[in-house]
Amino acid sequence: MSKTTTDQCLPLTEAEERAYLEHIKGRITSELDSITRKMHARHTEMLDLKTYLQENKSDMDHVEKAAARQSIEMMTNIVERAAAQKLRLSKLLDSPYFGRIDVGAQDDEKGQPTYIGVHSLYDSGSDATLVHDWRAPISSMFYEFELGDAYYDAPAGRTECRLVRKRQYRIERQELKFMLESSLNIQDDILQEELSRASDDKMRNIVATIQRDQNAIIRNDRSHTLIIQGAAGSGKTSIALHRIAFLLYKYKDSIRSDEILIVSPNKVFAHYISQVLPELGEEMIQETTMETLASELLDDKVKFQTFAEQVAMLLHDHDPGYAERIRFKASSEFLAKLDEYGRRVRSSRVRAKDVKVGLLSLDADWIAARFRRCAGQSAANQITAVLNAIVEHMRFQHGKNVVGKERTKLRADLKGMLTNTTLKTAYKDFYAWLGEPQMFKQLKGSRYEYSDVFPLIYLNMLLDGASEMDHIKHVVVDEMQDYTPIQYEVIANLFPCKKTILGDHNQSVSPLSSSSAEAIQEILPKSECMYMHKSYRSTLQITELAQSIHRNPNLMAVERHGEKPLLIACEDSEQEVDHIREAVRSFFDSTYNSLGIICKTQQRADWLYKQLRASRTSVTLLTPRSTVFSQGVVIATAFLAKGLEFDQVLVPFCNDSEYRTVIDRHMLYVACTRAMHGLSLTHTEERSRFLRSAPARAVTAPRRMAASR
């Protein structure tokens, strides 16, 4: 067990705890001063060395110059590391720790205090760890155990021990707000207080309130691919990011932040989650979207519809043929047929001929047999494999070395034996081979439908092989429910590394092409499913309304109470907009930070934004081109609001003509589950069929609002 606080300074009372906090703050301040002095000294040395190099470079030989530059580079690295350490300590000074466990031997009734924070604090003077990083092995007991027998697994093996005390603290701006004795896993009072707080413009770290089931997911390092099915508001994205932070901590010698990639649904969401890892002391990781990935894989040579445009078409056009094409290409049967077609094309594209090598020759049957042996490889690899087979045959059977121009000509001859069918032609021919030519249609401007993009990429991989991105060592895929089996096959071929895949099947914005955790597990055999059923985001009243729209039988809501959601009937669209203006005014008079006005379509969002802006109402509009999430009043579609959360949510236009189909139900469910503390829904005509039995307070918008405008 590592050395921690000594018995001589064992704080027990609140006064002693406050005194201990001052002691820790003093140690941090002292360490910050020491680092600042060292940074200044190194910076001065570096400037002096640069000046010396500049003034004497004509008198210095190559070795001296190289040594000086190496010293400058070394000092620069030292200063950069010190700056990073200084930043971590500065954050630690604001809130040095959030928990404490007193750990002793199994027969020990006293125990040794172990403080737990976002970062560790080591005191070289006393050779003691004053604060343990939340990811450290010993810290796991804070999340895993109640008082009594416990254990933790360290690199040296399992340590059996006993927890004799558990405390939780709220320290803000260097001040102890309160502390609680906790005999349970994580004290409900702390969790409830955290959940009741107003939202931020970026996702926060949750290290102080990680629950036991969440901790099991975060510290799971045995699974090659971990699939997390989490209910709306269960914190699955946050948990996935904390898991990445844990892996970077535990395996810091074998994986770096620039070797991790997150596939997020859009740029707004990527911005929203961007602060979590830096708060946890890790660098930002690379981020991309499926569309960006597709463009790169197709070398920007194929124009295609985006996923957002696909969803918009489903919401607007109700074209049964379009919907059927999406459903068809999202099936495992479609994937199997494309696999079969790829094998047929690979085997049939070879037109073997006799080959002459000097005075010697090999007949077409011999060449065809060699091509068949490597039929599963890309065209380039097939040519190389057959060429190498010929070269070896000539050397061992005839004592002839094939080099230079002979080898170049031989490669050209082999290349000419492969039929030159373009990827686009092969893909179109696939549907003729299937006997389903109507399943392939292009949009105006020869654009591909989104449902064709990844089948096209996968066929290219089948014919020419996949270029593995082996520099990536871990991939995080968020909103997993919105990707098809073929998309997961592409990801598996592209990234053979470990993966964290997360989402909620109930929040699919395109149910025609959604994937469940179990379906993904079938495609990725080295995977494990873990489930997060408890929802933390919304009040019990908001959760009950969302459940009435689209029931998730496994969801368990944390019992946090609030106001009953409102169903507000308006006479016409003018009165509805007036009510929304009034709701915005009320929001700005409240203590909340964010109000999400969530529409079904972008056209509705654009129209409402113009109405509100015409009266100089302060609102922000999110579009598929947006890159930043901000606080205040935000108008967005349910599609763009996925993964985001707001203190209050207003869902307008909840008429039965607006929300009536299966995909409409999913959109309404997503919109309502964005709300943390307050939810209201407005309608003019008959309210949506999905709200007829909603547990909400039905009211009529007061007529005075239209007159007051």
Side-chain angles (χ1 to χ4, degrees):
M1 200 178 296
S2 60
K3 186 177 179 183
T4 55
T5 317
T6 62
D7 289 342
Q8 284 71 29
C9 56
L10 179 65
L12 293 176
T13 67
E14 183 173 335
E16 289 171 332
E17 285 282 13
R18 291 186 183 279
Y20 185 72
L21 175 60
E22 292 302 314
H23 167 69
I24 292 295
K25 284 160 52 180
R27 297 305 306 149
I28 295 172
T29 302
S30 175
E31 187 68 20
L32 281 168
D33 291 342
S34 175
I35 290 173
T36 301
R37 288 194 300 271
K38 289 176 183 176
M39 286 177 65
H40 179 72
R42 290 289 179 271
H43 186 68
T44 301
E45 287 178 31
M46 187 169 62
L47 290 178
D48 290 345
L49 191 53
K50 283 183 177 180
T51 302
Y52 177 79
L53 181 62
Q54 185 66 30
E55 292 175 351
N56 299 279
K57 61 182 179 180
S58 58
D59 300 325
M60 299 171 70
D61 60 24
H62 175 71
V63 174
E64 289 175 309
K65 289 178 184 177
R69 292 192 184 100
Q70 189 175 18
S71 297
I72 291 170
E73 186 178 349
M74 189 181 302
M75 289 178 193
T76 302
N77 291 336
I78 291 171
V79 170
E80 288 176 352
R81 286 197 298 271
Q85 186 182 4
K86 185 177 179 180
L87 180 61
R88 284 195 296 272
L89 286 171
S90 297
K91 290 180 179 178
L92 201 62
L93 184 61
D94 185 62
S95 180
Y97 45 83
F98 56 80
R100 163 183 165 178
I101 49 176
D102 289 8
V103 183
Q106 290 184 309
D107 57 350
D108 189 353
E109 294 298 324
K110 187 176 181 183
Q112 190 78 4
T114 297
Y115 286 84
I116 300 163
V118 176
H119 308 301
S120 64
L121 177 65
Y122 175 73
D123 181 34
S124 57
S126 61
D127 187 28
T129 300
L130 302 180
V131 179
H132 287 262
D133 191 294
W134 67 278
R135 297 166 290 185
I138 196 171
S139 303
S140 65
M141 293 189 292
F142 178 73
Y143 304 108
E144 289 291 332
F145 292 101
E146 301 171 15
L147 301 187
D149 291 343
Y151 65 84
Y152 64 93
D153 292 318
R158 175 164 294 185
T159 299
E160 306 277 353
C161 53
R162 180 176 177 80
L163 292 191
V164 296
R165 174 175 282 107
K166 182 190 285 189
R167 276 181 179 170
Q168 293 176 279
Y169 310 88
R170 165 62 60 75
I171 302 172
E172 289 179 344
R173 297 178 182 176
Q174 305 183 34
E175 181 184 348
L176 178 63
K177 299 294 184 181
F178 61 80
M179 72 177 198
L180 289 170
E181 294 288 340
S182 175
S183 61
L184 300 175
N185 187 35
I186 295 292
Q187 180 63 263
D188 279 348
D189 292 346
I190 293 276
L191 179 60
Q192 288 282 0
E193 211 244 336
E194 282 293 325
L195 296 176
S196 299
R197 298 176 79 181
S199 65
D200 290 335
D201 62 343
K202 292 187 178 72
M203 184 180 284
R204 299 186 295 238
N205 81 70
I206 58 167
V207 292
T209 57
I210 292 170
Q211 303 296 287
R212 181 180 292 171
D213 58 335
Q214 296 173 329
N215 189 56
I217 293 172
I218 289 170
R219 294 176 189 262
N220 179 331
D221 59 352
R222 66 184 181 276
S223 300
H224 181 273
T225 296
L226 183 61
I227 301 171
I228 306 168
Q229 162 63 40
S234 60
K236 52 191 170 292
T237 300
S238 182
I239 293 305
L241 293 171
H242 284 69
R243 180 172 190 248
I244 293 303
F246 171 75
L247 295 174
L248 285 168
Y249 174 87
K250 184 171 182 179
Y251 299 104
K252 53 181 170 286
D253 295 330
S254 57
I255 186 169
R256 305 189 309 270
S257 58
D258 61 356
E259 295 171 328
I260 298 175
L261 176 70
I262 181 167
V263 181
S264 60
N266 54 61
K267 296 292 183 182
V268 171
F269 184 72
H271 174 260
Y272 179 63
I273 66 174
S274 63
Q275 196 54 39
V276 175
L277 283 168
E279 276 188 5
L280 297 173
E282 302 297 344
E283 295 178 14
M284 278 292 295
I285 57 179
Q286 301 177 68
E287 176 273 332
T288 191
T289 64
M290 277 292 190
E291 283 92 346
T292 301
L293 201 57
S295 293
E296 291 173 357
L297 292 171
L298 293 169
D299 294 327
D300 295 316
K301 294 176 181 177
V302 176
K303 293 183 291 183
F304 58 84
Q305 181 186 48
T306 65
F307 183 51
E309 290 170 332
Q310 182 195 81
V311 172
M313 279 188 70
L314 287 170
L315 291 171
H316 279 291
D317 298 346
H318 304 295
D319 177 357
Y322 183 68
E324 183 54 33
R325 291 194 294 277
I326 293 171
R327 185 185 292 107
F328 178 67
K329 294 164 192 176
S331 67
S332 55
E333 291 78 15
F334 176 81
L335 174 59
K337 285 294 184 183
L338 193 54
D339 269 323
E340 182 184 349
Y341 175 74
R343 288 193 298 271
R344 284 175 175 266
V345 172
R346 283 200 308 262
S347 62
S348 65
R349 67 181 173 183
V350 178
R351 300 289 183 267
K353 300 176 183 177
D354 294 348
V355 168
K356 290 198 71 174
V357 184
L359 299 176
L360 301 170
S361 64
L362 293 168
D363 62 33
D365 288 343
W366 192 96
I367 298 295
R370 297 315 179 274
F371 268 112
R372 283 195 297 273
R373 289 180 184 178
C374 53
Q377 301 178 26
S378 68
N381 287 345
Q382 280 184 306
I383 291 168
T384 299
V386 177
L387 175 63
N388 290 339
I390 294 171
V391 170
E392 288 183 15
H393 178 80
M394 289 296 168
R395 182 186 302 124
F396 291 116
Q397 298 297 323
H398 303 285
K400 177 177 176 57
N401 289 326
V402 181
V403 295
K405 291 182 179 179
E406 273 189 331
R407 191 182 181 98
T408 303
K409 182 181 181 303
L410 188 55
R411 182 180 288 275
D413 290 342
L414 293 172
K415 188 175 181 181
M417 295 178 196
L418 296 180
T419 54
N420 190 22
T421 303
T422 66
L423 175 62
K424 291 180 180 180
T425 300
Y427 186 66
K428 185 177 180 180
D429 290 346
F430 165 61
Y431 292 95
W433 174 81
L434 267 182
E436 302 275 5
Q438 77 281 2
M439 285 296 170
F440 175 65
K441 287 193 176 181
Q442 288 183 280
L443 301 166
K444 289 181 180 178
S446 299
R447 284 203 311 159
Y448 280 72
E449 292 179 348
Y450 184 73
S451 60
D452 284 311
V453 177
F454 283 87
L456 186 70
I457 291 169
Y458 186 56
L459 180 60
N460 191 41
M461 288 179 167
L462 290 173
L463 299 182
D464 290 324
S467 299
E468 294 181 358
M469 295 190 180
D470 50 11
H471 63 286
I472 298 295
K473 294 183 179 178
H474 199 106
V475 171
V476 180
V477 179
D478 206 345
E479 301 296 340
M480 68 181 187
Q481 70 277 1
D482 291 329
Y483 306 129
T484 64
I486 280 189
Q487 286 176 296
Y488 283 108
E489 281 288 356
V490 169
I491 289 170
N493 280 280
L494 206 58
F495 305 107
C497 59
K498 292 189 173 185
K499 302 173 188 68
T500 301
I501 298 174
L502 59 140
D504 177 17
H505 189 51
N506 295 288
Q507 294 185 66
S508 172
V509 294
S510 181
L512 300 174
S513 58
S514 63
S515 296
S516 65
E518 294 75 18
I520 297 167
Q521 190 174 24
E522 288 184 14
I523 300 166
L524 307 173
K526 292 191 294 183
S527 58
E528 176 185 0
C529 288
M530 297 186 77
Y531 298 88
M532 299 175 66
H533 298 309
K534 190 172 285 187
S535 179
Y536 301 92
R537 177 185 295 135
S538 306
T539 63
L540 192 61
Q541 289 73 19
I542 293 170
T543 299
E544 286 173 347
L545 183 137
Q547 284 284 80
S548 74
I549 295 169
H550 183 70
R551 181 162 178 74
N552 176 356
N554 298 313
L555 185 143
M556 297 180 292
V558 169
E559 196 164 331
R560 180 171 66 86
H561 291 274
E563 302 246 341
K564 212 169 192 179
L566 293 176
L567 271 172
I568 303 159
C570 304
E571 286 187 355
D572 51 34
S573 61
E574 186 177 10
Q575 190 187 34
E576 189 170 20
V577 172
D578 275 331
H579 175 80
I580 294 169
R581 287 194 188 97
E582 187 62 28
V584 171
R585 292 190 197 102
S586 297
F587 162 75
F588 282 119
D589 290 336
S590 74
T591 58
Y592 290 130
N593 296 327
S594 62
L595 167 64
I597 303 175
I598 303 178
C599 304
K600 189 179 89 169
T601 66
Q602 193 63 49
Q603 285 85 342
R604 284 289 203 185
D606 293 344
W607 180 85
L608 182 57
Y609 176 72
K610 288 177 182 176
Q611 301 305 307
L612 296 179
R613 289 297 294 163
S615 57
R616 298 187 178 180
T617 304
S618 180
V619 292
T620 299
L621 176 68
L622 291 186
T623 74
R625 296 179 298 280
S626 299
T627 57
V628 173
F629 176 75
S630 59
Q631 290 186 329
V633 182
V634 175
I635 301 178
T637 62
F639 174 80
L640 287 175
K642 283 191 311 174
L644 306 179
E645 60 185 19
F646 303 88
D647 291 320
Q648 296 177 312
V649 165
L650 190 155
V651 187
F653 319 123
C654 291
N655 307 328
D656 194 55
S657 58
E658 185 88 355
Y659 290 100
R660 58 189 177 84
T661 68
V662 172
I663 188 171
D664 294 342
R665 180 199 289 265
H666 280 258
M667 289 293 182
L668 188 57
Y669 178 79
V670 169
C672 293
T673 53
R674 302 306 94 204
M676 297 169 64
H677 310 299
L679 172 65
S680 57
L681 306 96
T682 63
H683 63 96
T684 52
E685 306 159 9
E686 182 183 7
R687 70 191 188 207
S688 168
R689 63 197 66 187
F690 306 129
L691 295 170
R692 287 173 191 164
S693 60
R697 189 157 63 92
V699 299
T700 301
R703 295 176 63 84
R704 64 176 177 80
M705 297 178 67
S708 68
R709 190 166 61 94

